[in-house]
Amino acid sequence: MPLPPAPTKRAAMLSPSAHDAPARPSQGRSGRRSTDRKSEEGGTTGPRPLELFDRHDAEAGGSVETLPPPKAKAAAPLAKAPSQAPSEVAETSAAAVRQAQPRAKRSKSNGPAKLFVLDTNVLLHDPMSLFRFEEHDIFLPMIVLEELDGHKKGTTEVARNGRQASRTLDALAAAQGADIGKGLKLDTTGHRESGGKLFFQTEPLEYALPTSLPQGKADNQILGVVQALRDLNAKDAPGRPKRDVVLVSKDINMRVKARALGLHADDYQNDKTLEDGDLLYSGSLALPPDFWTRQSKTVESWQSGSSTFYRVSGPIVPNLYINQFVYFEAPGEPSMYARVTEIRDKTAVLKTLKDYGSVKNAVWGVNTRNREQNFAMNLLMDPEIDFVTLTGTAGTGKTLMALASGLTQVLDDRRYTEIIMTRATVSVGEDIGFLPGTEEEKMGPWMGALDDNLEFLAKGDGGGAGEWGRAATNELIRSKIKIKSMNFMRGRTFLNKYVIIDEAQNLTPKQMKTLVTRAGPGTKIICMGNLAQIDTPYLTEGSSGLTFAVDKFKGWPHSGHITLARGERSRLADFASDVL
């Protein structure tokens, strides 16, 4: 009689209809030989029952279900089944483990689940925020849906987010088996990391706010809903355990009013890359003073071209990233400046840098003046680096170095076909209104930094003509530089371009993704900005698109970052940057 198929789940009884199933494919001669060998060694030739549970779980102390005694009708076929080969037993156990793995639930964080009440601005800021709260539940007051409906018209980013949030809510409500009264499961649309439910306000809630708060204002109605939910969830009730109610809002005044009323309020934290800007990856690391003495027994060095390579090991290796700069400066000892080119197991390879501070290595007549500028120029001139981020205060040379390296690689090296420059058009003061002309003419007032640096690069640092590159006319330089607006970047692909994104600290992470994904083959993108001068509303140093890019790209073999520390514009600019 053929063997019945393996059980589909652990500790499952076989149905009577399964006994007449076709035989499984033969496991080969090895399975029969192992069965015969085991019978000869053990001295038993009688049949043994099938194991309906995973033996490994039982040995590890796991729980094993106990099956009730089978009926007499089903017991006979099982007793007649021949002994199962060890290979088949192992296969059955492995199949049971594989069947059990998809059903394993994600481990939840410690503590009881909370109920988060979302403000409208959270959904307009991040339409996917519904799925960012792990195992906790979410509550949407009716006034939030009303405000969401009022913001969905238009072509702005807020309107697009409002429409996407509405579509997400509709998909959750239209899922099979959805019951608004009992809460909509957030994982029904494929977001398995969300283990909670979404609740709508389906009935009026009783609350009493101070008379000084206008009752018709939407913010105050949301505060009243939070207060009513807090009172409802303050005690255990049948089917509703006690839990905390938290208001999540991007509005600072809303959170202040909530705390004044004794309500728990918090900011939406998921969009923040870093809590503290000082924790941002700087791109460089100072080696300890005893680096060579501690590493002297494990250092290998070799020469390749004009560069020297060092293979080091030790406790500093786990703290390194690919393309991170390291430097050693100690009194009385030679200095060393290198870049991490390889990290393998517990060793790292360091490659010495090219000195762009030397006159013979000038880039379009520009020499670097400090350590960080030399690090940045090594990234800008490396054809293997596709994405470069530069941060630093005003006057550190970000735009000048990016333009100088771009002109050299476009006009001299012919590595790229042209330079494309763009920036976020965010005003420092009041907006001057609409601008006439073509796309480049409209972007002209925003590109004052480009004009200033081109004026310096066209005449050279010394004021003379110098080589052919320095004698090139402004018309030739201008013909290789295109000024583009960010508003028309969607859908474009840049091939063999040198793209400069200035004032990138004013971009949101979504805008940064839109720009960086425009890169085609042979394109290099440079993002520059000063995180201390953010002009976009609702963006902070921790949630800026530039911070997002620096943090996400660190350690990628074809990207690099450096934070420029010292200003080189003038002594007046340096002093003003420090004291103002």
Side-chain angles (χ1 to χ4, degrees), residues 126-279:
D126 181 9
M128 303 303 292
S129 58
L130 293 169
F131 309 106
R132 310 293 193 203
F133 292 89
E134 298 180 347
E135 73 273 12
H136 304 288
D137 294 337
I138 296 174
F139 189 93
L140 291 183
M142 195 58 66
I143 190 63
V144 168
L145 299 178
E146 190 70 25
E147 285 193 307
L148 201 62
D149 184 67
H151 284 91
K152 70 180 183 181
K153 298 178 182 178
T155 59
T156 63
E157 188 75 16
V158 171
R160 281 192 289 268
N161 290 344
R163 291 192 293 270
Q164 185 177 347
S166 299
R167 287 192 292 267
T168 303
L169 295 175
D170 180 63
L172 290 171
Q176 185 176 4
D179 186 354
I180 291 183
K182 298 180 180 179
L184 306 176
K185 292 184 178 181
L186 292 169
D187 59 357
T188 54
T189 55
H191 297 83
R192 298 299 179 187
E193 69 278 4
S194 304
K197 293 183 178 182
L198 172 64
F199 295 92
F200 293 95
Q201 183 182 355
T202 56
E203 56 185 17
L205 298 173
E206 296 183 2
Y207 56 86
L209 291 176
T211 55
S212 58
L213 292 177
Q215 301 298 316
K217 192 174 180 181
D219 286 358
N220 297 333
Q221 293 185 41
I222 296 175
L223 290 175
V225 170
V226 175
Q227 187 185 73
L229 291 174
R230 182 198 61 179
D231 297 339
L232 285 175
N233 292 270
K235 298 179 180 179
D236 290 328
R240 188 179 64 236
K242 176 183 177 181
R243 57 180 170 176
D244 294 334
V245 178
V246 183
L247 170 66
V248 181
S249 175
K250 298 289 294 180
D251 188 349
I252 297 177
N253 292 330
M254 178 82 158
R255 299 198 300 268
V256 171
K257 287 195 294 185
R259 293 181 182 121
L261 295 173
L263 305 175
H264 189 185
D266 201 356
D267 190 8
Y268 180 62
Q269 303 287 344
N270 190 265
D271 63 329
K272 293 185 178 180
T273 306
L274 296 173
E275 290 293 334
D276 189 356
D278 295 335
L279 301 177

Side-chain angles (χ1 to χ4, degrees), residues 5-22:
T8 58
K9 57 183 179 178
R10 294 161 58 182
M13 292 186 64
L14 296 176
S15 61
S17 61
H19 304 151
D20 298 328

Side-chain angles (χ1 to χ4, degrees), residues 16 33 50 109 125 189 279 332 355 373 414 422 447 497 536:
R33 288 177 180 176
L50 289 171
S109 59
H125 177 77
T189 55
L279 301 177
D355 183 16
Q373 282 189 353
R414 305 295 178 90
T422 185
M447 290 299 172
K497 309 294 186 191
T536 303

Side-chain angles (χ1 to χ4, degrees), residues 330-376:
E333 296 187 29
S335 300
M336 192 268 289
Y337 305 96
R339 187 174 73 190
V340 181
T341 59
E342 179 185 323
I343 297 177
R344 184 173 298 176
D345 295 333
K346 297 182 180 180
T347 63
V349 176
L350 310 180
K351 177 185 178 182
T352 57
L353 305 178
K354 187 175 182 179
D355 183 16
Y356 289 99
S358 174
V359 178
K360 65 178 182 180
N361 293 329
V363 178
W364 203 262
V366 174
N367 292 107
T368 57
R369 296 185 178 181
N370 57 53
R371 180 180 61 224
E372 285 77 17
Q373 282 189 353
N374 193 47
F375 293 165

Side-chain angles (χ1 to χ4, degrees), residues 425-435 445-446 535:
T425 54
V426 181
S427 304
V428 176
E430 292 293 329
D431 199 347
I432 61 174
F434 291 101
L435 298 171
W446 302 102
D535 303 315

